[in-house]
Amino acid sequence: MNQAVVERFARTTETVAAYRQEAETSGRLSPVVVDALLDAGVARLYLPQSLAGLEVDPLTCAAVTTTLARADTAAAWFVMVANSARLAAQYWPEALVEEILLDNPDVIIAASGNRPFAATTVPGGVRLDGVNSFVSGAHHAHWLLSPVKLEGQMATVLVPMAELEILDNWHALGMRGTGSNDVRATGLFVPNHHLVPMQAPPLTRNRYYQGALYRAPSRVLFATYVPVTLVLAEQALAELTNLAEGKTPYAEDRKLKHRSIAQIKYGKALATYRASSGYFQQALTDAWQRAQAGESASARDKADLYLAGTHAAQSAAQVVRWVADAAGTSVIYQGQPLERIVRDMETLRHHGFISESRYGSVAQVLWDATLDYQLLLR
């Protein structure tokens, strides 16, 4: 792990925390926070050194995400915003990499795979129409990387964010500061060289992406956001401990810490948190060690990593639910720490990359059944 990189981000947490409520209220991160994160190198974490990136290992990236999440979960989510396209760019043509990233390693490229734009072939390129959803960081991004459907085939497309309409509809239960709005394209022309056909395995990387990090499964992207869910579980457990010492539940004459149901819920939650976080950390370590050894990840290896990430997120959600059960009415009042934790966690557990349905996708790989989620094998 690169501790120096983690410490650089730790120095931003005072600023991040200071603007936490502003992000929650406005529905997007403060530009002050975005600038602080960029200055620390957030957009360079998974960018190769050949492009002036940091090219950190997944364990370092996970530690950065964890550090930021303890100050603000929305700011931590920006680690994913800033690095998802960095990993995807390993499969871009070299000319496109050079155009977008070579002279501007801090350019912000938002990405969403939720809904593909519809594309129509025109001379020199395509015209895009449609709406894509859950575009986190849309208001801060310079580009959008989006799926597109062209003549029945899937591809990805890079579109200048300034040419898209951002629909301010991120009025969500939790994770409000991520600014995960919809964006609309209306007859938008995109030149052919900004269109990247999706490769079928085995995938070919361009010359800029030849380090060990890029031999790992692309789902090392989990390091940019799964730790957010684990931090929420960690914070929920800490809040319950505080409540247990000071709260006397309704119609009781003893503190919460003496109630057996609260003790049981806490014990189960703590064990689940420790087991799932350790499992996730080990899966990241295994993926990184294989990549360092020059080994290509098999389909089973990719499924194993995906299982660990999904299980960490879903287990974190279960931890928060147990804590909420034990805490009672302490979760229902706005402004209370547990109230926001519950809202953020309830939002995150439905994210398509780590939703409960991904358990089934892993089983499909391990059982050699029809796969419903092809991204798992990238």
Side-chain angles (χ1 to χ4, degrees), residues 193-214:
H193 69 281
H194 283 183
L195 195 69
V196 182
M198 287 191 179
Q199 298 182 31
L203 306 175
T204 303
R205 294 185 296 274
N206 62 61
R207 69 182 178 90
Y208 290 101
Y209 284 82
Q210 295 300 314
L213 175 63
Y214 312 108

Side-chain angles (χ1 to χ4, degrees), residues 284-322:
L284 278 182
T285 300
D286 291 346
W288 176 234
Q289 289 178 343
R290 283 192 298 268
Q292 284 184 301
E295 301 175 15
S296 297
S298 66
R300 190 179 191 91
D301 292 334
K302 295 174 183 178
D304 286 345
L305 178 56
Y306 215 109
L307 181 62
T310 298
H311 190 62
Q314 291 299 315
S315 295
Q318 180 61 69
V319 167
V320 172
R321 287 195 292 273
W322 276 325

Side-chain angles (χ1 to χ4, degrees), residues 127-155:
R127 290 204 181 278
L128 301 183
D129 289 280
V131 174
N132 198 348
S133 300
F134 303 115
V135 182
S136 299
H139 284 286
H140 302 292
H142 306 104
W143 294 87
L144 171 65
L145 180 67
S146 172
V148 62
K149 194 168 187 178
L150 176 63
E151 298 174 353
Q153 299 297 315
M154 295 300 298

Side-chain angles (χ1 to χ4, degrees), residues 213-288:
L213 175 63
Y214 312 108
R215 288 194 294 270
S218 292
R219 206 38 54 179
V220 292
L221 186 63
F222 274 158
T224 69
Y225 58 92
V226 167
V228 177
T229 68
L230 292 170
V231 166
L232 286 170
E234 169 192 284
Q235 292 176 334
L237 288 164
E239 287 298 327
L240 182 57
T241 296
N242 291 336
L243 281 173
E245 184 60 42
K247 178 176 179 175
T248 301
Y250 174 72
E252 292 273 351
D253 59 0
R254 55 184 180 164
K255 290 183 178 180
L256 182 64
K257 70 178 184 179
H258 297 298
R259 292 192 71 192
S260 62
I261 188 62
Q263 296 162 357
I264 291 168
K265 296 279 188 181
Y266 177 79
K268 290 169 66 175
L270 181 60
T272 299
Y273 164 72
R274 288 179 176 175
S276 59
S277 59
Y279 175 31
F280 177 64
Q281 191 82 358
Q282 188 60 55
L284 278 182
T285 300
D286 291 346
W288 176 234

Side-chain angles (χ1 to χ4, degrees), residues 105-181:
D106 295 316
V107 66
I108 302 172
I109 309 170
S112 176
N114 182 256
R115 284 190 280 179
F117 291 126
T120 304
T121 302
V122 296
V126 296
R127 290 204 181 278
L128 301 183
D129 289 280
V131 174
N132 198 348
S133 300
F134 303 115
V135 182
S136 299
H139 284 286
H140 302 292
H142 306 104
W143 294 87
L144 171 65
L145 180 67
S146 172
V148 62
K149 194 168 187 178
L150 176 63
E151 298 174 353
Q153 299 297 315
M154 295 300 298
T156 57
V157 64
L158 266 172
V159 186
M161 189 63 76
E163 297 182 20
L164 293 162
E165 179 187 4
I166 299 174
L167 307 178
D168 278 311
N169 58 359
W170 182 242
H171 308 301
L173 177 68
M175 298 299 291
R176 294 172 179 171
T178 62
S180 303
N181 295 283

Side-chain angles (χ1 to χ4, degrees), residues 4-140:
V5 170
V6 179
E7 290 171 0
R8 281 166 59 176
F9 284 91
R11 289 192 288 271
T12 72
T13 55
E14 185 175 345
T15 299
V16 167
Y19 287 89
R20 180 176 184 263
Q21 188 54 48
E22 178 183 313
E24 178 82 353
T25 303
S26 67
R28 67 184 78 167
L29 293 180
S30 166
V32 176
V33 170
V34 173
D35 288 346
L37 296 179
L38 289 173
D39 288 345
V42 71
R44 303 187 186 209
L45 289 169
Y46 275 172
L47 188 69
Q49 293 179 10
S50 60
L51 295 169
L54 295 171
E55 199 172 329
V56 302
D57 62 89
L59 300 172
T60 297
C61 187
V64 167
T65 306
T66 299
T67 298
L68 292 174
R70 287 170 178 157
D72 181 18
T73 51
W77 195 253
F78 196 76
V79 180
M80 183 274 293
V81 173
N83 287 279
S84 179
R86 269 36 179 195
L87 280 179
Q90 64 188 296
Y91 304 121
W92 296 355
E94 289 176 11
L96 183 58
V97 172
E98 292 165 357
E99 176 189 347
I100 304 298
L101 295 168
L102 185 59
D103 295 323
N104 192 1
D106 295 316
V107 66
I108 302 172
I109 309 170
S112 176
N114 182 256
R115 284 190 280 179
F117 291 126
T120 304
T121 302
V122 296
V126 296
R127 290 204 181 278
L128 301 183
D129 289 280
V131 174
N132 198 348
S133 300
F134 303 115
V135 182
S136 299
H139 284 286
H140 302 292

